Amino acid sequence: MELPVVGDGVHLASYGPRAPLSVVNGKATAGGLDGSGYYQCYGDGSSVASCGSDAPTGYETVDAPPHYDFYANTEVWGRRRRFRPSLYQLYADPEDDSKPPLYEETPGKQTGGGDSSEEDEEEHKEPPPEPTRFGWVQGVMIRCMLNIWGVILFLRLPWITAQAGIGLTWVIILLSSFITGITGLSTSAIATNGKVKGGGTYFLISRSLGPELGGSIGLIFAFANAVAVAMHTVGFAETVTDLMRESGAVMVDPINDIRIVGVITVTCLLGISMAGMAWESKAQILFFLVIMVSFVNYIVGTIIPPSPQKQAKGFFSYKADIFAANFVPGWRGTEGSFFGMFSIFFPSATGILAGANISGDLRDPTVAIPRGTLMAIFWTTISYLIISATIGACVVRDASGVLNDTMSSSSSSDDCVGLACRYGWDFSECMKNNTCPHGIMNYYQSMSLVSAFAPLISAGIFGATLSSALACLVSAPKVFQCLCKDKLYPFIGFFGKGYGKNDEPLRGYLLTYVIAVCFILIAELNTIAPIISNFFLCSYALINFSCFHASVTNSPGWRPSFRFYSKWLSLLGAVCCVVIMFLLTWWAALIAFGVVFFLLGYTLYKKPAVNWGSSVQASSYSIALNQCVGLNQVEDHVKNYRPQCLVLTGPPCSRPALVDLVGCFTKRLSLMMCGHVVTAGPSPTATQEAVSERHVTWLNQRKVRSFYRGVVAAELRSGVNMLLQGAGLGRIKPNVLLMGFKKDWRCDSPQAAHQYIGILQDAFDLHYGVCVLRVKEGLDASHPSQSHVNPGFDGGPESINTVCAPACVQTSVTSSVSIDPDPQPSSVFQIKQGKKTIDIYWLSDDGGLTLLLPYLLTRRKRWAGCKVRVFVGGDTDKKEEQKEEVLALIKKFRLGFHDVEVLPDIYQPPQPGNVVQFEDSVNRFRLDTNPKQDSDSGPQRQEEEPWMITEQDLERNKAKSLRQIRLNEVLQVHSREAALIVITMPVGRRGVCPSTLFLAWLDVLSRDLRPPVLLVRGNQENVLTFYCQ
């Protein structure tokens, strides 16, 4: 082979991959999609040859280098999306005019067959408006910090410091931050494992753990945020009404004043939210600045020397002895315990998901969520530690607030109690009576007392409450909108509609507003707040568990770019969240878990048609794989024998009766695999038919627990041999072959009959048990027009060779494919069998499979009412004795069969008319042995045509032939009204019994019977035992 030489006018660059063209604003440019490349050749499903001169020659290739568009699900405005060439496009013959198979057609909008007028129209379109996007500071960090800072920071932290002491308060703060920090790490890992869209917490959990847990948490998390709007608004309203009462201004009464102020406040917040995320973000920045000013005001106030009025209330600026005294606990009251204080403080740390909840409005969620969330946790933890330490070092626990309680020169210092005595103040009287109104133990407004300018602390309280309410008011509709769009629950899709460039859920805002107003009107949330905290904790627990679960399953798809996490830390965080839920309020925790499990059960029952590649799917695969490998270490035991069935159904929709019968005794018990052999040469169309997902879809719709396996083979027998040898995994592999009876064997070709019997012989060679089902109505429920016909089975009602009618396929210019589902015809095995009988003709011992299959059927409801009768052959003289022997044996097997009948007449000669009919059925296959012909021609012809029957064959097998004829006569007498006949299948010796003669036995044995007949032959090994080991 000659290679091009550089320098002779040959450019090696021309032999590389051809760069396709792209379209930017309607103009073709190099490196994009449109043009003469492979993208256009297959746009309309045409062949490679149709590309004309653009067909690849020499070193040219349609292979494409890596590109972002090949992996993205969305398009970029101004450029048509690129598509990776299919495998068929790469290896197909350029001269081949055949169209690619359906599964190879490229989805999406293609260039081929497009309308030029539409392209001209798109050229003049303006780009869509860019929605408002936030970075990690404004979108996540500030939002989380505002949601973490709340009323507890200003009104409860000093009191918690007085109760627990500075040391234990720091332990409470650090423990809370430890839990939220672990959750932040888990959130960061999940958020960086792929592109994050809108939906926040719900999106993270649902795409990680699946719709079952994700949907339940999404619903309760959205509801908790809606109620949290009311909680924060009521906190603001209570502060306003307290200030109004101090000024003597009362509108109606305290409760109604809270309601009025709360409704007005939440209405204003709704207006800010519905104005858009830009206005909401600006309001959050304003609140953030107010809180920061109040913090500075507080720190400055601790340094300024206190006035006598402040000293009377217990503030003495920084003192070492005050710090030492307040460092140790001083428990008081019923709530005076570590977990009591922890339960009050922890809700103030539950705002770390405020940034993740608006993930759809972030510029780069995978960067913003980890950085912003962790920075918010860090800075808020520092602020809590500083405030608890400074307030504990400046203010004593108890103070009277009375200016006259100073120590005079005449008073004795021995009678004075408390640290204030060292600074000239005597609060002994109120301390002894526990009536001191001031000090950090008694006065919730201690931060206002310490600050340089008290109104700024009130402004900080307003900023903290309103910012938290606003964050929840935005988070709840965003989460709920994503949940609505996924359609996991009924009646909520109405609220998922978005408006404007930011896809704002205005209907969700109104729903959140209504819920918030309802709880504001209660004006007392002491019983609701614990439930909210528990719902948040439940979300944190599941986020941590999601991270742990995704890590422990070792799924190759778990590749978060955020590496600073640990699966064991995540598990610890999940356990801690659950424990804290019950430590806070056990009944609220039970309510939270009750709601989660109820919604979980509903989702499991409905089984929504979504596939998000969750860690639950990865875990299911990992568990199944480990269990399959573990089975290899355990030897098979007869006590654990299960009939694992390979069912030759063709397409399952074509033989529903065969599928339904086998499904009855394998459901939730053993393996069932539907096998389909497409008899054709190797071609994309045949491969598509064999591996089509519609067969699995049909089985799932019929609620049959079965696998499906299709193969393409030149002939039926070789294809079935592939299935017999290759189906299954480890110990989970078929051991019983089930197939339909070939009813048209007399009119079909002799080769087809020989191939049919050859399949049975191959199964026996591979140590399979074999079952053949014959139904009077026929097994094949498919339409007469077929795409593939297996020559080994007839095209009549009971054939196994044909497939059901091909699904209707409509291909438009955009290559969209719609496939109609296959029909679900009913069968005799779907109905309840009532009080009929299952007749077992146990004529030969095959190891017990003939008895086991009917027993498994009687365990199903539709067969439970049937009486099982066992028929065996015997002698007239020893009829009762043989009956007792068989009954005793069956009793030891514990099958519950009590009706046994001995049939001595099966050994009698059959009626002559039936014998003549049998001989007529095989006459077509008899070998003419004319003595005038060469004596060597007979054996030579029989070797070439092994299905032919000689006189010697008929004579050697005469006894067996007559027995099958007689057995059919017996079946006609005893089992005419049975629901099912199960009979031991005869076996023809290879080389002694021609295949057509064996098939004639099966035919004459089961013909003209109204009930379905199941011919069973085990592999001659025990499948039943009466031993316990």
Side-chain angles (χ1 to χ4, degrees), residues 731-1002:
R731 300 278 186 187
I732 306 178
K733 61 182 179 181
N735 53 24
V736 177
L737 175 69
L738 285 104
M739 55 199 302
F741 177 71
K742 184 172 178 58
K743 187 177 181 180
D744 67 338
W745 66 279
R746 288 189 296 272
C747 58
D748 202 355
S749 65
Q751 294 88 341
H754 180 69
Q755 194 177 54
Y756 179 89
I757 298 302
I759 292 174
L760 300 182
Q761 294 172 346
D762 291 342
F764 289 140
D765 289 340
L766 294 170
H767 230 54
Y768 273 69
V770 174
C771 301
V772 176
L773 176 65
R774 184 171 187 174
V775 180
K776 184 178 181 181
E777 298 81 9
L779 291 173
D780 193 358
S782 62
H783 299 286
S785 59
Q786 309 300 337
S787 58
H788 295 286
V789 177
N790 296 331
F793 300 92
D794 65 303
E798 293 184 354
S799 63
I800 346 182
N801 64 313
T802 56
V803 302
C804 55
C808 178
V809 180
Q810 300 174 348
T811 307
S812 65
V813 293
T814 58
S815 299
S816 61
V817 179
S818 60
I819 301 178
D820 295 335
D822 292 317
Q824 294 283 349
S826 60
S827 72
V828 66
F829 300 111
Q830 285 184 309
I831 61 177
K832 193 171 183 179
Q833 301 300 322
K835 298 295 183 180
K836 298 179 182 179
T837 62
I838 299 176
D839 290 351
I840 304 173
Y841 288 82
W842 195 20
L843 306 178
S844 303
D845 197 327
D846 59 353
L849 187 63
T850 308
L851 292 178
L852 181 61
L853 295 184
Y855 166 74
L856 296 177
L857 279 179
T858 58
R859 295 171 61 177
R860 305 298 174 189
K861 288 184 179 180
R862 66 186 67 165
W863 295 90
C866 292
K867 179 182 178 181
V868 178
R869 300 188 300 177
V870 180
F871 297 90
V872 295
D875 300 328
T876 305
D877 300 337
K878 302 179 180 180
K879 185 176 180 179
E880 290 301 323
E881 182 181 345
Q882 291 174 342
K883 178 179 179 179
E884 293 300 326
E885 289 179 358
V886 175
L887 268 175
L889 180 60
I890 294 177
K891 185 177 181 180
K892 289 185 177 182
F893 290 144
R894 307 173 305 281
L895 298 174
F897 302 161
H898 305 292
D899 194 339
V900 175
E901 186 172 344
V902 178
L903 300 175
D905 53 348
I906 63 173
Y907 301 111
Q908 297 177 1
Q911 298 178 6
N914 292 332
V915 176
V916 172
Q917 187 178 0
F918 173 78
E919 291 176 348
D920 291 342
S921 66
V922 299
N923 276 339
R924 178 189 170 202
F925 306 100
R926 295 181 67 172
L927 184 64
D928 186 12
T929 55
N930 191 343
K932 297 181 180 180
Q933 295 179 350
D934 188 2
S935 58
D936 296 334
S937 62
Q940 181 179 358
R941 184 181 177 188
Q942 190 175 16
E943 184 178 346
E944 296 174 356
E945 300 175 346
W947 51 83
M948 301 303 290
I949 306 172
T950 65
E951 292 296 334
Q952 292 84 355
D953 294 330
L954 287 175
E955 190 63 30
R956 281 182 301 196
N957 295 282
K958 181 178 181 179
K960 285 189 176 181
S961 299
L962 295 177
R963 186 183 184 191
Q964 311 313 320
I965 301 171
R966 176 56 186 162
L967 281 175
N968 180 260
E969 296 173 356
V970 173
L971 295 178
Q972 298 279 3
V973 174
H974 294 277
S975 301
R976 185 174 296 275
E977 301 300 326
L980 176 67
I981 299 173
V982 181
I983 185 170
T984 306
M985 179 193 299
V987 177
R989 287 184 177 274
R990 181 182 293 159
V992 177
C993 179
S995 55
T996 50
L997 181 59
F998 182 32
L999 193 50
W1001 290 354
L1002 302 183

Side-chain angles (χ1 to χ4, degrees), residues 20-23 31-33 39 65-84 106-107:
L21 304 177
S22 63
V23 178
L33 168 65
Y39 303 93
H67 196 275
Y68 173 84
D69 284 353
F70 299 161
Y71 301 91
N73 294 329
T74 56
E75 298 183 8
V76 179
W77 185 89
R79 186 188 73 204
R80 288 193 182 178
R81 183 179 167 196
R82 301 186 182 191
F83 292 96
R84 183 190 298 109
T106 306

